[in-house]
Amino acid sequence: MNDSKLIKPDAWEFLKTHTDARIALGSVGTAMPLAEVLAFKMAHAHARDAVYSELNESALIDDLATFDLPIYTLQSQVNNRHTYLQRPDWGRKLSEASKKELAQAKGNADIAFIMADGLSATAINKHAFLLLKILIPLLQQAGFSIAPLSIVRQGRVAIGDDIGETLQAKCSVVLIGERPGLSSPDSMGAYLTYQPKVGLTDESRNCVSNIRSEGLSYQTAAEKIFYLIQESFRLQYSGVSLKDNTDSGLLT
Amino acid sequence: MPYHYTVKNRRYAFEDLKTLLAKATPFRTGDALAGLTAESYEERIAAQIALADVPLQTFLNDLVIPYETDEVSRLIVDSHDTEGFKKIAHFTVGDLRNWLLLEETDAAILQKMAFAFTPEMVAAVSKLMRNQDLIAVAQKCTVVTQFRNTIGLKGRLSTRLQPNHPTDDAKGIAASIIDGLLNGSGDAVIGINPATDSPAVVARLLHMLDGLIARFDMPTQSCVLAHVTTTLQLIEEKVPVDLVFQSIGGTEKTNSSFGVSLALLDEAYAAALSLKRGTIGNNVMYFETGQGSALSANAHESVDQQTCEARAYAVARKYAPHLVNSVVGFIGPEYLYDGKQIIRAALEDHFCGKLLGLPMGMDICYTNHAEADQDDMDNLLTLLGVAGCNFIMGVPGADDIMLNYQSTSFHDALYLRKVLNKKASPEFESWLLNQGIMDEKGRKLPIKEAHLLLNAV
């Protein structure tokens, strides 16, 4: 790996300033140099580890205690990752035991927050609390009531419908680990659904995506979600016809 | 029950052709998710044995989706070459498999027979074939298309240069294009997946590609993979469109979930032809497909995902496309779980598409939640090279930073050309030589700092 004379560099390395794409890698024969191959494999390893990561429930519960809200630890109808990856339908429904447990909760609050592992529990372990630390006070100051918090193992986005409906919440916000990319193993998404109920599909939701250190900051994400919640309460719907105008000046 | 087979004392019955096809399909998670798969290994092979005995004639009567309720079914029946079919009308599915593998069944015969086959017939026969058979027969088929260059000739391997960028940044995209061109990629098409379907953004990218192709007199074509309605609007606005793109599926309902119908595709095809921007040929459409899309849209009508996929090819071939690309591993593990399933599906799709007369390429790819890695892609890449795949993707370092999945790199294409002694399309090969990018053996040449391509960003 140390004899750089073995590698033919590309004359256009200066183009790397324009993109994060893996350009100007150089070559050995027709192949990529080994350092590039190993860097790729390491990125893939991080993504794979993220898919198989698990929620750190005790740490989450300790952090979330600051909000002084009831916390439920729930499970979908899936027991392991192998099944989770093959049966998205089962990941959208609560297990019988979890359903019973949640039925005891006090209902009728405005907003139910649900933290689900999705395809990267790492993302939830890293970002969920830090986002809520900004967002929940913002909502409370604006007069919104917050339902009990839920942490869900092996959950998909639509499990928020099951939980939100059981809690009789007016709106659900699912924080979930997004499908890891090679450069983003810990990206979190937030899916907002007004009047959640079982059977809704993606067009009924609004999504704030790419919440992570190198992506959307906690502050910006919290403001976007806060805006969408206010708008959905005002309009009494969520989904494709509810537009996020918070950055209309940015997209040209 | 018209279809059945008995193993020892156990009688397996299959109520209709679509059930038989589903149960005979090599296992994949998507069919299990749809509840269509065989319940045991034995039932699967019983179904295959029963399927082998089904006369091809049956496929014209027992439609997997009724003629009355699905326009793709109507297209399949109405475009069937009944004259050509006479040659094989007495065959069973099993006979067809054996006939396809005969030495005498050559490229010219297969080309003539393309419209005598229906998608369901080729899907059925593929279910009885081993990977080796799928490769051997596909390799015999040649499907050549032209726009500004010639794609699909024997001994050639082309690439779609895929320079995506998460914010559609023009310089970021241009940097990836230059990287690809200097690595010998981009002859099938330079094709951008835009991060947004906004007509203004798509128009800006099309102008950029058009400028680059014109400035360097490149024998290739551009495409921005927007929705067909967006592209139609831009054609009206005189934006320079080379190939018109659309994702398509094998049922009417799948297509309507994509926001298209045959009537809309007819309109797009006519508009694309009217531009006459191809210099040596008039293959103007680019379609993408993939097993699982029908189920994902809840539009599979209880037909297995591979048969749905083959039906999408009936839609594609109506429009004499320049390129058809099955994005095989993109959909995720709930449809194709691991490297084994992805490889099998890719070989099936390539085989079925070629037999039906399509210029098949393949996005050899996987997502990070699938049980697959670069070794699986190397295997599939090599297998498809042997099978004679028209084109593959060229993505910088195999890492698509916009779509967040892994495909094949520019280096992968160079590897495949090298080990299988293949070259880029002839017009593009000459251009690479003239530009001093490659030598006549397809080896990369050192690029001088003054090379105009290095100053094109």
Side-chain angles (χ1 to χ4, degrees):
Chain A
M1 287 260 295
N2 295 321
D3 190 345
S4 60
K5 290 195 293 291
L6 298 172
I7 296 166
K8 249 189 223 162
D10 290 327
W12 52 96
E13 285 179 10
F14 66 94
L15 292 179
K16 287 184 178 192
T17 54
H18 298 301
T19 178
D20 290 333
R22 292 169 197 258
I23 63 166
L25 303 181
S27 47
V28 286
T30 56
M32 281 183 212
L34 182 61
E36 299 295 345
V37 174
L38 291 174
F40 182 107
K41 284 173 88 168
M42 182 58 87
H44 186 235
H46 288 150
R48 296 294 292 156
D49 283 340
V51 170
Y52 286 90
S53 61
E54 292 179 5
L55 289 170
N56 189 344
E57 288 158 25
S58 57
L60 266 174
I61 290 170
D62 284 352
D63 286 340
L64 296 170
T66 175
F67 300 121
D68 205 18
L69 291 162
I71 302 171
Y72 286 85
T73 308
L74 309 168
Q75 174 104 21
S76 76
Q77 293 184 357
V78 172
N79 288 318
N80 59 63
R81 269 289 107 162
H82 182 72
T83 310
Y84 180 85
L85 293 171
Q86 296 182 56
R87 297 305 303 240
D89 48 340
W90 295 347
R92 295 182 192 122
K93 294 179 205 137
L94 280 177
S95 71
E96 280 307 309
S98 288
K99 189 120 184 152
K100 267 188 203 148
E101 193 187 336
L102 195 65
Q104 328 268 323
K106 198 166 148 282
N108 283 319
D110 290 329
I111 299 151
F113 282 103
I114 296 119
M115 285 149 272
D117 43 10
L119 286 167
S120 172
T122 307
I124 299 303
N125 293 337
K126 275 192 178 177
H127 311 308
F129 171 67
L130 294 175
L131 174 77
L132 291 178
K133 207 167 77 169
I134 302 171
L135 181 56
I136 288 183
L138 211 55
L139 288 164
Q140 286 172 330
Q141 280 155 29
F144 290 100
S145 59
I146 310 294
L149 304 172
S150 312
I151 300 170
V152 194
R153 289 184 293 255
Q154 311 289 7
R156 301 259 174 186
V157 171
I159 204 157
D161 298 339
D162 207 348
I163 295 170
E165 191 173 21
T166 308
L167 288 173
Q168 298 170 287
K170 292 198 185 70
C171 174
S172 68
V173 177
V174 178
L175 304 179
I176 191 163
E178 298 183 317
R179 193 184 85 198
L182 283 195
S183 53
S184 54
D186 61 349
S187 181
M188 183 172 82
Y191 289 81
L192 176 151
T193 312
Y194 189 76
Q195 286 189 334
K197 55 175 187 289
V198 172
L200 292 179
T201 52
D202 285 346
E203 63 262 25
S204 311
R205 314 185 200 290
N206 292 87
C207 175
V208 175
S209 178
N210 198 29
I211 305 168
R212 61 189 175 106
S213 322
E214 303 79 13
L216 204 60
S217 71
Y218 304 131
Q219 186 66 40
T220 313
E223 284 165 13
K224 275 180 182 290
I225 298 166
F226 180 56
Y227 169 84
L228 287 169
I229 289 174
Q230 284 179 307
E231 283 296 285
S232 71
F233 273 78
R234 185 173 70 81
L235 299 165
Q236 306 203 341
Y237 60 72
S238 60
V240 284
S241 37
L242 169 58
K243 300 292 178 198
D244 174 11
N245 293 318
T246 53
D247 58 358
S248 56
L250 296 175
L251 291 168
T252 48
Chain B
M1 291 286 178
Y3 312 103
H4 53 84
Y5 185 73
T6 302
V7 187
K8 293 175 187 161
N9 293 322
R10 176 83 195 261
R11 185 173 188 273
Y12 290 98
F14 309 97
E15 61 182 318
D16 51 22
L17 191 54
K18 80 178 165 204
T19 306
L20 181 64
L21 288 168
K23 301 265 186 184
T25 306
F27 179 78
R28 62 207 61 196
T29 42
D31 290 338
L33 182 61
L36 299 173
T37 195
E39 278 165 34
S40 64
Y41 288 91
E42 186 178 81
E43 187 186 25
R44 179 168 301 111
I45 306 307
Q48 291 179 1
I49 294 170
L51 180 60
D53 281 340
V54 175
L56 293 184
Q57 198 80 49
T58 304
F59 287 77
L60 304 175
N61 307 322
D62 188 353
L63 298 186
V64 297
I65 304 174
Y67 185 92
E68 295 72 23
T69 59
D70 186 285
E71 65 173 3
V72 179
S73 292
R74 290 196 286 280
L75 173 65
I76 290 168
V77 172
D78 297 346
S79 63
H80 185 234
D81 171 10
T82 47
E83 200 50 44
F85 181 68
K86 284 181 184 158
K87 188 177 165 66
I88 53 170
H90 59 291
F91 281 174
T92 61
V93 179
D95 293 333
L96 179 59
R97 181 267 181 191
N98 290 338
W99 179 78
L100 287 170
L101 285 157
L102 290 180
E103 291 272 354
E104 302 86 288
T105 309
D106 60 15
I109 292 175
L110 289 173
Q111 201 164 11
K112 262 188 248 151
M113 294 295 289
F115 279 82
F117 302 129
T118 67
E120 288 85 352
M121 289 175 198
V122 299
V125 76
S126 77
K127 295 175 195 297
L128 306 182
M129 294 169 81
R130 288 168 47 187
N131 285 2
Q132 176 189 122
D133 303 342
L134 297 173
I135 293 169
V137 176
Q139 198 200 44
K140 293 201 267 191
C141 302
T142 311
V143 182
V144 177
T145 57
Q146 293 186 312
F147 190 81
R148 290 195 193 102
N149 58 6
T150 311
I151 304 295
L153 295 167
K154 277 265 176 281
R156 305 281 170 173
L157 173 81
S158 298
T159 54
R160 164 189 165 192
L161 205 172
Q162 184 171 310
N164 297 340
H165 189 277
T167 59
D168 293 327
D169 179 76
K171 288 193 170 193
I173 287 172
S176 290
I177 293 176
I178 303 304
D179 190 52
L181 292 170
L182 294 174
N183 278 295
S185 263
D187 50 345
V189 62
I190 302 176
I192 305 168
N193 296 91
T196 154
D197 209 69
S198 137
V201 172
V202 176
R204 180 169 58 76
L205 294 175
L206 282 167
H207 280 293
M208 190 263 273
L209 291 174
D210 185 52
L212 204 59
I213 288 172
R215 183 173 159 202
F216 290 93
D217 201 15
M218 258 179 246
T220 190
Q221 35 283 329
S222 73
C223 186
V224 176
L225 285 71
H227 192 264
V228 68
T229 50
T230 305
T231 308
L232 265 172
Q233 180 191 329
L234 296 175
I235 289 175
E236 272 180 36
E237 292 168 13
K238 311 278 185 234
V239 174
V241 171
D242 286 349
L243 303 184
V244 172
F245 168 82
Q246 184 54 42
S247 288
I248 53 170
T251 72
E252 181 176 331
K253 281 186 193 160
T254 310
N255 285 326
S256 67
S257 84
F258 289 148
V260 298
S261 62
L262 295 179
L264 179 60
L265 293 174
D266 288 346
E267 190 189 333
Y269 183 48
L273 282 175
S274 74
L275 299 173
K276 300 196 167 40
R277 289 173 54 86
T279 48
I280 61 168
N282 237 344
N283 299 109
V284 293
M285 302 298 285
Y286 174 13
F287 293 117
E288 284 190 352
T289 65
Q291 290 191 28
S293 64
L295 174 59
S296 154
N298 216 357
H300 63 294
E301 316 254 16
S302 300
V303 176
D304 72 86
Q305 67 184 36
Q306 191 243 338
T307 302
C308 284
E309 172 71 7
R311 284 169 54 95
Y313 303 154
V315 176
R317 70 178 176 176
K318 180 163 195 254
Y319 306 103
H322 189 54
L323 309 164
V324 178
N325 176 25
S326 165
V327 192
V328 66
F330 187 73
I331 192 156
E334 62 267 44
Y335 301 92
L336 295 168
Y337 189 68
D338 55 14
K340 183 181 170 74
Q341 291 183 18
I342 292 171
I343 288 170
R344 172 77 201 176
L347 294 175
E348 290 165 350
D349 293 353
H350 179 255
F351 162 86
C352 289
K354 281 281 171 74
L355 219 51
L356 292 169
L358 289 174
M360 286 306 289
M362 193 67 58
D363 192 344
I364 298 162
C365 64
Y366 63 105
T367 57
N368 286 319
H369 59 321
E371 289 288 330
D373 61 20
Q374 292 302 98
D375 290 334
D376 296 301
M377 298 304 107
D378 287 344
N379 292 347
L380 179 53
L381 173 70
T382 310
L383 295 172
L384 283 168
V386 175
C389 188
N390 281 25
F391 66 101
I392 60 173
M393 304 304 109
V395 178
D399 173 11
D400 188 311
I401 59 170
M402 197 281 278
L403 293 171
N404 273 325
Y405 78 120
Q406 286 84 250
S407 182
T408 42
S409 66
F410 307 133
H411 295 76
D412 289 334
L414 293 175
Y415 148 80
L416 199 57
R417 284 177 185 158
K418 173 102 183 158
V419 296
L420 295 177
N421 195 23
K422 286 175 187 263
K423 292 177 166 181
S425 77
E427 300 85 355
F428 197 76
E429 187 196 6
S430 307
W431 181 82
L432 291 170
L433 271 171
N434 291 339
Q435 288 284 326
I437 295 171
M438 299 259 161
D439 67 14
E440 64 289 342
K441 290 194 167 157
R443 288 178 300 213
K444 271 171 81 173
L445 293 170
I447 300 292
K448 296 201 178 64
E449 274 174 39
H451 198 290
L452 289 176
L453 272 169
L454 295 190
N455 300 301
V457 175

